[in-house]
Amino acid sequence: MKKKISKKNAVIIAGAVVAVTAVGGTAYAMSGPKLALNKEKVTVEYVTKYKPELKDIVKDYKDFDKKSLKLINKIPNEKDKTYPAVGKYTITVKYKKNSLKQSVFVKDTKAPEVAVPADIEILQETDLATFDFKSLMNVSDASETTIDVDTSKVDVNTPAQYDINVTVTDKHGNKTVKAGRVTVTAKPEIGDDEQVVQETVKNSDGTTAVRNSVQKKSQSSGKKVVSNSSNVTRKSTASSQSASSNRTSTNSNKTSGGNRTSGSSSKGNSASENHSGSLTVQKDPNAYRQGDGFYSEGAEINGEDFDKLTGGDWKNWNY
């Protein structure tokens, strides 16, 4: 059985509700909205600019008196960079007498990008411990990196192709491993004025390769030299001296041949001589004369006729 509320009581109840509502509204107006953050913890990838504003941090930002809402501290950038360094930071937000803190973690989680040449030529008996692999790798990373090349399968004394592994690790532990290839080539023979230089070339498929070539020192200025006393063979000094001696001997013979004019003009001199035409002629103290297809005593022979006979090159040379 429902009780009827008298008109008088209804008025009283309604008045009470209005009073409570008024009091609550007044209390809310006096205290303002409750300070809260959208996120208490934020993770930011390294190399990302992070300059949050209050509207990004404070929950129900539009309900606050903007003059009373303040961001106490901001995250500093890394030196000479436009983004913060890896680490943990704290942002403080204050509203009147209340304050909250947001934790910001800047992390480097990206592995290095690495491009390894498809093939690297190395001279036989090169010291792999001193070979500069690092300069041949194209590495991209926001942090400092270290490069390790596993050449345990390479026999530097035997010309052949070998597999290698290249591992690049940044300072925050991110790692990339790439496979590569080394070709050990036989020792080249070079002269004193030559050296072996290293050059990077582009293959038709877009990859790169590292090649060695023997070049004159005068033509390879500025290029990376990879030859040394242990990984090349020097051209024989004895061979060079022999070739030089032969050239000197040849020149001497030619000079000697040029002096035969004075010797041949002396009468009573008899000796055999080899001439350019490879015909051995006998000097005779007597004069010569030209007959039909033969020479005999009685006339001099001039240089032109002598050339015809010997196939030589003693022009204007007379007995």
Side-chain angles (χ1 to χ4, degrees):
M1 183 175 178
K2 295 181 179 180
K3 292 183 178 181
K4 291 184 179 180
I5 299 175
S6 65
K7 183 180 289 186
K8 181 179 179 180
N9 291 337
V11 171
I12 294 172
I13 292 172
V17 171
V18 171
V20 171
T21 302
V23 171
T26 302
Y28 180 82
M30 291 177 64
S31 63
K34 184 178 180 180
L35 183 63
L37 304 179
N38 288 321
K39 292 182 178 180
E40 293 184 358
K41 295 181 180 180
V42 176
T43 299
V44 179
E45 182 64 32
Y46 184 48
V47 193
T48 301
K49 294 181 179 180
Y50 189 67
K51 292 184 177 181
E53 297 180 5
L54 284 167
K55 64 180 180 179
D56 304 314
I57 302 173
V58 178
K59 188 175 184 180
D60 298 326
Y61 169 76
K62 63 183 179 179
D63 295 337
F64 289 83
D65 175 14
K66 306 306 183 289
K67 293 181 179 181
S68 301
L69 188 63
K70 297 179 181 180
L71 187 62
I72 302 302
N73 58 324
K74 297 182 179 180
I75 299 177
N77 287 332
E78 188 174 1
K79 184 179 179 180
D80 300 326
K81 300 290 194 305
T82 59
Y83 44 83
V86 172
K88 180 182 177 180
Y89 302 87
T90 300
I91 292 178
T92 302
V93 177
K94 187 175 182 180
Y95 181 68
K96 295 183 177 180
K97 294 182 178 181
N98 298 321
S99 64
L100 293 175
K101 297 182 183 295
Q102 182 186 66
S103 296
V104 179
F105 300 89
V106 178
K107 297 183 178 181
D108 182 359
T109 64
K110 293 184 178 180
E113 295 181 2
V114 185
V116 178
D119 184 51
I120 301 172
E121 285 188 350
I122 297 179
L123 298 178
Q124 184 181 14
E125 295 188 20
T126 293
D127 184 358
L128 293 179
T130 61
F131 188 82
D132 186 12
F133 284 101
K134 295 181 181 180
S135 64
L136 304 177
M137 309 301 163
N138 189 357
V139 178
S140 175
D141 193 80
S143 303
E144 295 178 5
T145 59
T146 57
I147 301 174
D148 178 70
V149 182
D150 180 9
T151 59
S152 58
K153 296 181 180 179
V154 179
D155 179 2
V156 78
N157 298 312
T158 305
Q161 289 186 338
Y162 302 92
D163 293 329
I164 62 172
N165 281 319
V166 179
T167 302
V168 180
T169 308
D170 69 22
K171 64 183 294 185
H172 299 111
N174 302 301
K175 182 185 299 184
T176 299
V177 180
K178 288 288 186 72
R181 185 177 66 189
V182 160
T183 298
V184 176
T185 59
K187 289 184 178 183
E189 186 178 51
I190 66 174
D192 292 337
D193 62 340
E194 295 176 320
Q195 58 190 4
V196 182
V197 298
Q198 181 188 83
E199 296 178 289
T200 299
V201 299
K202 193 169 185 178
N203 300 319
S204 58
D205 60 358
T207 61
T208 60
V210 179
R211 301 298 181 210
N212 297 326
S213 62
V214 177
Q215 296 183 13
K216 295 287 186 183
K217 291 181 179 179
S218 59
Q219 299 174 346
S220 56
S221 177
K223 296 180 181 178
K224 187 165 186 177
V225 179
V226 293
S227 54
N228 54 54
S229 58
S230 64
N231 59 18
V232 297
T233 301
R234 294 290 177 182
K235 291 180 180 178
S236 173
T237 304
S239 298
S240 300
Q241 290 178 343
S242 176
S244 176
S245 177
N246 288 337
R247 287 193 295 271
T248 302
S249 176
T250 301
N251 292 334
S252 177
N253 287 338
K254 290 183 178 180
T255 303
S256 176
N259 291 334
R260 288 172 186 159
T261 303
S262 60
S264 62
S265 61
S266 300
K267 299 297 181 178
N269 209 9
S270 180
S272 293
E273 294 181 11
N274 289 324
H275 302 283
S276 178
S278 298
L279 176 68
T280 299
V281 297
Q282 181 73 22
K283 283 187 176 181
D284 195 292
N286 300 314
Y288 289 79
R289 68 178 178 81
Q290 182 178 9
D292 296 330
F294 66 91
Y295 291 87
S296 64
E297 296 182 5
E300 290 187 349
I301 179 173
N302 62 30
E304 183 177 355
D305 291 334
F306 190 92
D307 285 345
K308 290 179 181 179
L309 176 64
T310 65
D313 56 3
W314 290 11
K315 301 297 183 183
N316 298 319
W317 185 85
N318 294 312
Y319 272 98

mmCIF file with all atom_site columns, all heavy atoms in Angstrom, residues 1 13 18 36 72 104 131 222-223 230 244 269 282 315-316:
data_model
loop_
_atom_site.group_PDB
_atom_site.id
_atom_site.type_symbol
_atom_site.label_atom_id
_atom_site.label_alt_id
_atom_site.label_comp_id
_atom_site.label_asym_id
_atom_site.label_entity_id
_atom_site.label_seq_id
_atom_site.pdbx_PDB_ins_code
_atom_site.Cartn_x
_atom_site.Cartn_y
_atom_site.Cartn_z
_atom_site.occupancy
_atom_site.B_iso_or_equiv
_atom_site.pdbx_formal_charge
_atom_site.auth_seq_id
_atom_site.auth_comp_id
_atom_site.auth_asym_id
_atom_site.auth_atom_id
_atom_site.pdbx_PDB_model_num
ATOM 1   N N   . MET A 1 1   ? 0.846   -1.174  0.000   1.00 0.00 ? 1   MET A N   1
ATOM 2   C CA  . MET A 1 1   ? 0.000   0.000   0.000   1.00 0.00 ? 1   MET A CA  1
ATOM 3   C C   . MET A 1 1   ? 0.893   1.239   0.000   1.00 0.00 ? 1   MET A C   1
ATOM 4   O O   . MET A 1 1   ? 1.788   1.380   0.825   1.00 0.00 ? 1   MET A O   1
ATOM 5   C CB  . MET A 1 1   ? -0.891  0.004   1.249   1.00 0.00 ? 1   MET A CB  1
ATOM 6   C CG  . MET A 1 1   ? -1.848  1.170   1.285   1.00 0.00 ? 1   MET A CG  1
ATOM 7   S SD  . MET A 1 1   ? -2.942  0.994   2.700   1.00 0.00 ? 1   MET A SD  1
ATOM 8   C CE  . MET A 1 1   ? -3.884  2.508   2.503   1.00 0.00 ? 1   MET A CE  1
ATOM 9   N N   . ILE A 1 13  ? 11.012  18.111  0.336   1.00 0.00 ? 13  ILE A N   1
ATOM 10  C CA  . ILE A 1 13  ? 11.984  17.224  -0.330  1.00 0.00 ? 13  ILE A CA  1
ATOM 11  C C   . ILE A 1 13  ? 12.627  17.928  -1.515  1.00 0.00 ? 13  ILE A C   1
ATOM 12  O O   . ILE A 1 13  ? 13.851  17.885  -1.721  1.00 0.00 ? 13  ILE A O   1
ATOM 13  C CB  . ILE A 1 13  ? 11.292  15.926  -0.777  1.00 0.00 ? 13  ILE A CB  1
ATOM 14  C CG1 . ILE A 1 13  ? 10.884  15.116  0.446   1.00 0.00 ? 13  ILE A CG1 1
ATOM 15  C CG2 . ILE A 1 13  ? 12.210  15.115  -1.680  1.00 0.00 ? 13  ILE A CG2 1
ATOM 16  C CD1 . ILE A 1 13  ? 10.031  13.909  0.118   1.00 0.00 ? 13  ILE A CD1 1
ATOM 17  N N   . VAL A 1 18  ? 17.380  20.595  -4.023  1.00 0.00 ? 18  VAL A N   1
ATOM 18  C CA  . VAL A 1 18  ? 17.962  21.819  -4.585  1.00 0.00 ? 18  VAL A CA  1
ATOM 19  C C   . VAL A 1 18  ? 19.105  22.311  -3.733  1.00 0.00 ? 18  VAL A C   1
ATOM 20  O O   . VAL A 1 18  ? 20.154  22.730  -4.223  1.00 0.00 ? 18  VAL A O   1
ATOM 21  C CB  . VAL A 1 18  ? 16.882  22.913  -4.717  1.00 0.00 ? 18  VAL A CB  1
ATOM 22  C CG1 . VAL A 1 18  ? 17.514  24.245  -5.089  1.00 0.00 ? 18  VAL A CG1 1
ATOM 23  C CG2 . VAL A 1 18  ? 15.843  22.508  -5.741  1.00 0.00 ? 18  VAL A CG2 1
ATOM 24  N N   . ALA A 1 36  ? 44.456  15.020  -13.152 1.00 0.00 ? 36  ALA A N   1
ATOM 25  C CA  . ALA A 1 36  ? 44.800  13.647  -13.546 1.00 0.00 ? 36  ALA A CA  1
ATOM 26  C C   . ALA A 1 36  ? 45.561  13.695  -14.878 1.00 0.00 ? 36  ALA A C   1
ATOM 27  O O   . ALA A 1 36  ? 45.444  14.653  -15.657 1.00 0.00 ? 36  ALA A O   1
ATOM 28  C CB  . ALA A 1 36  ? 43.546  12.800  -13.658 1.00 0.00 ? 36  ALA A CB  1
ATOM 29  N N   . ILE A 1 72  ? 55.943  22.275  -14.895 1.00 0.00 ? 72  ILE A N   1
ATOM 30  C CA  . ILE A 1 72  ? 57.091  22.737  -14.125 1.00 0.00 ? 72  ILE A CA  1
ATOM 31  C C   . ILE A 1 72  ? 58.417  22.526  -14.854 1.00 0.00 ? 72  ILE A C   1
ATOM 32  O O   . ILE A 1 72  ? 59.270  23.402  -14.900 1.00 0.00 ? 72  ILE A O   1
ATOM 33  C CB  . ILE A 1 72  ? 57.137  22.036  -12.745 1.00 0.00 ? 72  ILE A CB  1
ATOM 34  C CG1 . ILE A 1 72  ? 55.849  22.313  -11.982 1.00 0.00 ? 72  ILE A CG1 1
ATOM 35  C CG2 . ILE A 1 72  ? 58.346  22.522  -11.944 1.00 0.00 ? 72  ILE A CG2 1
ATOM 36  C CD1 . ILE A 1 72  ? 55.566  23.783  -11.758 1.00 0.00 ? 72  ILE A CD1 1
ATOM 37  N N   . VAL A 1 104 ? 58.937  9.604   -18.345 1.00 0.00 ? 104 VAL A N   1
ATOM 38  C CA  . VAL A 1 104 ? 59.179  9.484   -19.787 1.00 0.00 ? 104 VAL A CA  1
ATOM 39  C C   . VAL A 1 104 ? 60.447  8.662   -19.996 1.00 0.00 ? 104 VAL A C   1
ATOM 40  O O   . VAL A 1 104 ? 61.511  8.999   -19.463 1.00 0.00 ? 104 VAL A O   1
ATOM 41  C CB  . VAL A 1 104 ? 59.323  10.870  -20.447 1.00 0.00 ? 104 VAL A CB  1
ATOM 42  C CG1 . VAL A 1 104 ? 59.608  10.708  -21.940 1.00 0.00 ? 104 VAL A CG1 1
ATOM 43  C CG2 . VAL A 1 104 ? 58.061  11.692  -20.228 1.00 0.00 ? 104 VAL A CG2 1
ATOM 44  N N   . PHE A 1 131 ? 93.596  -5.857  -41.874 1.00 0.00 ? 131 PHE A N   1
ATOM 45  C CA  . PHE A 1 131 ? 92.822  -5.466  -43.058 1.00 0.00 ? 131 PHE A CA  1
ATOM 46  C C   . PHE A 1 131 ? 91.629  -4.617  -42.620 1.00 0.00 ? 131 PHE A C   1
ATOM 47  O O   . PHE A 1 131 ? 90.895  -4.970  -41.698 1.00 0.00 ? 131 PHE A O   1
ATOM 48  C CB  . PHE A 1 131 ? 92.336  -6.709  -43.808 1.00 0.00 ? 131 PHE A CB  1
ATOM 49  C CG  . PHE A 1 131 ? 91.703  -6.401  -45.140 1.00 0.00 ? 131 PHE A CG  1
ATOM 50  C CD1 . PHE A 1 131 ? 92.476  -6.194  -46.265 1.00 0.00 ? 131 PHE A CD1 1
ATOM 51  C CD2 . PHE A 1 131 ? 90.327  -6.304  -45.255 1.00 0.00 ? 131 PHE A CD2 1
ATOM 52  C CE1 . PHE A 1 131 ? 91.887  -5.908  -47.483 1.00 0.00 ? 131 PHE A CE1 1
ATOM 53  C CE2 . PHE A 1 131 ? 89.735  -6.018  -46.473 1.00 0.00 ? 131 PHE A CE2 1
ATOM 54  C CZ  . PHE A 1 131 ? 90.527  -5.819  -47.585 1.00 0.00 ? 131 PHE A CZ  1
ATOM 55  N N   . GLY A 1 222 ? 96.183  9.045   -54.135 1.00 0.00 ? 222 GLY A N   1
ATOM 56  C CA  . GLY A 1 222 ? 94.919  9.243   -53.425 1.00 0.00 ? 222 GLY A CA  1
ATOM 57  C C   . GLY A 1 222 ? 94.101  7.985   -53.258 1.00 0.00 ? 222 GLY A C   1
ATOM 58  O O   . GLY A 1 222 ? 93.113  7.989   -52.517 1.00 0.00 ? 222 GLY A O   1
ATOM 59  N N   . LYS A 1 223 ? 94.477  6.898   -53.911 1.00 0.00 ? 223 LYS A N   1
ATOM 60  C CA  . LYS A 1 223 ? 93.733  5.650   -53.799 1.00 0.00 ? 223 LYS A CA  1
ATOM 61  C C   . LYS A 1 223 ? 94.297  4.807   -52.651 1.00 0.00 ? 223 LYS A C   1
ATOM 62  O O   . LYS A 1 223 ? 95.444  4.963   -52.261 1.00 0.00 ? 223 LYS A O   1
ATOM 63  C CB  . LYS A 1 223 ? 93.802  4.873   -55.111 1.00 0.00 ? 223 LYS A CB  1
ATOM 64  C CG  . LYS A 1 223 ? 93.132  5.594   -56.271 1.00 0.00 ? 223 LYS A CG  1
ATOM 65  C CD  . LYS A 1 223 ? 93.223  4.793   -57.549 1.00 0.00 ? 223 LYS A CD  1
ATOM 66  C CE  . LYS A 1 223 ? 92.564  5.538   -58.716 1.00 0.00 ? 223 LYS A CE  1
ATOM 67  N NZ  . LYS A 1 223 ? 92.672  4.792   -59.989 1.00 0.00 ? 223 LYS A NZ  1
ATOM 68  N N   . SER A 1 230 ? 104.698 -8.470  -48.075 1.00 0.00 ? 230 SER A N   1
ATOM 69  C CA  . SER A 1 230 ? 104.327 -9.880  -47.899 1.00 0.00 ? 230 SER A CA  1
ATOM 70  C C   . SER A 1 230 ? 103.269 -10.383 -48.879 1.00 0.00 ? 230 SER A C   1
ATOM 71  O O   . SER A 1 230 ? 103.154 -11.589 -49.090 1.00 0.00 ? 230 SER A O   1
ATOM 72  C CB  . SER A 1 230 ? 103.834 -10.107 -46.469 1.00 0.00 ? 230 SER A CB  1
ATOM 73  O OG  . SER A 1 230 ? 102.653 -9.371  -46.221 1.00 0.00 ? 230 SER A OG  1
ATOM 74  N N   . SER A 1 244 ? 118.290 -4.719  -69.203 1.00 0.00 ? 244 SER A N   1
ATOM 75  C CA  . SER A 1 244 ? 119.040 -3.476  -69.378 1.00 0.00 ? 244 SER A CA  1
ATOM 76  C C   . SER A 1 244 ? 120.362 -3.742  -70.064 1.00 0.00 ? 244 SER A C   1
ATOM 77  O O   . SER A 1 244 ? 120.801 -2.998  -70.931 1.00 0.00 ? 244 SER A O   1
ATOM 78  C CB  . SER A 1 244 ? 119.263 -2.822  -68.011 1.00 0.00 ? 244 SER A CB  1
ATOM 79  O OG  . SER A 1 244 ? 120.058 -1.669  -68.131 1.00 0.00 ? 244 SER A OG  1
ATOM 80  N N   . ASN A 1 269 ? 143.948 -4.528  -93.892 1.00 0.00 ? 269 ASN A N   1
ATOM 81  C CA  . ASN A 1 269 ? 143.238 -5.034  -92.714 1.00 0.00 ? 269 ASN A CA  1
ATOM 82  C C   . ASN A 1 269 ? 142.332 -6.160  -93.139 1.00 0.00 ? 269 ASN A C   1
ATOM 83  O O   . ASN A 1 269 ? 141.504 -5.980  -94.007 1.00 0.00 ? 269 ASN A O   1
ATOM 84  C CB  . ASN A 1 269 ? 142.434 -3.882  -92.110 1.00 0.00 ? 269 ASN A CB  1
ATOM 85  C CG  . ASN A 1 269 ? 142.269 -4.045  -90.630 1.00 0.00 ? 269 ASN A CG  1
ATOM 86  O OD1 . ASN A 1 269 ? 142.890 -4.917  -90.057 1.00 0.00 ? 269 ASN A OD1 1
ATOM 87  N ND2 . ASN A 1 269 ? 141.469 -3.170  -90.047 1.00 0.00 ? 269 ASN A ND2 1
ATOM 88  N N   . GLN A 1 282 ? 134.091 -10.672 -96.035 1.00 0.00 ? 282 GLN A N   1
ATOM 89  C CA  . GLN A 1 282 ? 135.508 -10.721 -95.748 1.00 0.00 ? 282 GLN A CA  1
ATOM 90  C C   . GLN A 1 282 ? 136.156 -9.433  -96.207 1.00 0.00 ? 282 GLN A C   1
ATOM 91  O O   . GLN A 1 282 ? 136.033 -9.034  -97.361 1.00 0.00 ? 282 GLN A O   1
ATOM 92  C CB  . GLN A 1 282 ? 136.156 -11.902 -96.497 1.00 0.00 ? 282 GLN A CB  1
ATOM 93  C CG  . GLN A 1 282 ? 137.633 -12.066 -96.239 1.00 0.00 ? 282 GLN A CG  1
ATOM 94  C CD  . GLN A 1 282 ? 137.909 -12.610 -94.838 1.00 0.00 ? 282 GLN A CD  1
ATOM 95  O OE1 . GLN A 1 282 ? 137.036 -13.213 -94.266 1.00 0.00 ? 282 GLN A OE1 1
ATOM 96  N NE2 . GLN A 1 282 ? 139.087 -12.362 -94.322 1.00 0.00 ? 282 GLN A NE2 1
ATOM 97  N N   . LYS A 1 315 ? 124.344 3.053   -94.901 1.00 0.00 ? 315 LYS A N   1
ATOM 98  C CA  . LYS A 1 315 ? 124.224 3.987   -96.031 1.00 0.00 ? 315 LYS A CA  1
ATOM 99  C C   . LYS A 1 315 ? 125.501 4.820   -96.168 1.00 0.00 ? 315 LYS A C   1
ATOM 100 O O   . LYS A 1 315 ? 126.119 5.201   -95.167 1.00 0.00 ? 315 LYS A O   1
ATOM 101 C CB  . LYS A 1 315 ? 123.023 4.896   -95.837 1.00 0.00 ? 315 LYS A CB  1
ATOM 102 C CG  . LYS A 1 315 ? 121.700 4.158   -95.723 1.00 0.00 ? 315 LYS A CG  1
ATOM 103 C CD  . LYS A 1 315 ? 121.348 3.397   -96.986 1.00 0.00 ? 315 LYS A CD  1
ATOM 104 C CE  . LYS A 1 315 ? 120.005 2.723   -96.909 1.00 0.00 ? 315 LYS A CE  1
ATOM 105 N NZ  . LYS A 1 315 ? 119.701 1.931   -98.110 1.00 0.00 ? 315 LYS A NZ  1
ATOM 106 N N   . ASN A 1 316 ? 125.838 5.091   -97.438 1.00 0.00 ? 316 ASN A N   1
ATOM 107 C CA  . ASN A 1 316 ? 127.001 5.950   -97.755 1.00 0.00 ? 316 ASN A CA  1
ATOM 108 C C   . ASN A 1 316 ? 128.282 5.453   -97.046 1.00 0.00 ? 316 ASN A C   1
ATOM 109 O O   . ASN A 1 316 ? 129.062 6.216   -96.513 1.00 0.00 ? 316 ASN A O   1
ATOM 110 C CB  . ASN A 1 316 ? 126.731 7.405   -97.330 1.00 0.00 ? 316 ASN A CB  1
ATOM 111 C CG  . ASN A 1 316 ? 125.564 7.965   -98.080 1.00 0.00 ? 316 ASN A CG  1
ATOM 112 O OD1 . ASN A 1 316 ? 125.427 7.723   -99.279 1.00 0.00 ? 316 ASN A OD1 1
ATOM 113 N ND2 . ASN A 1 316 ? 124.720 8.737   -97.404 1.00 0.00 ? 316 ASN A ND2 1
#
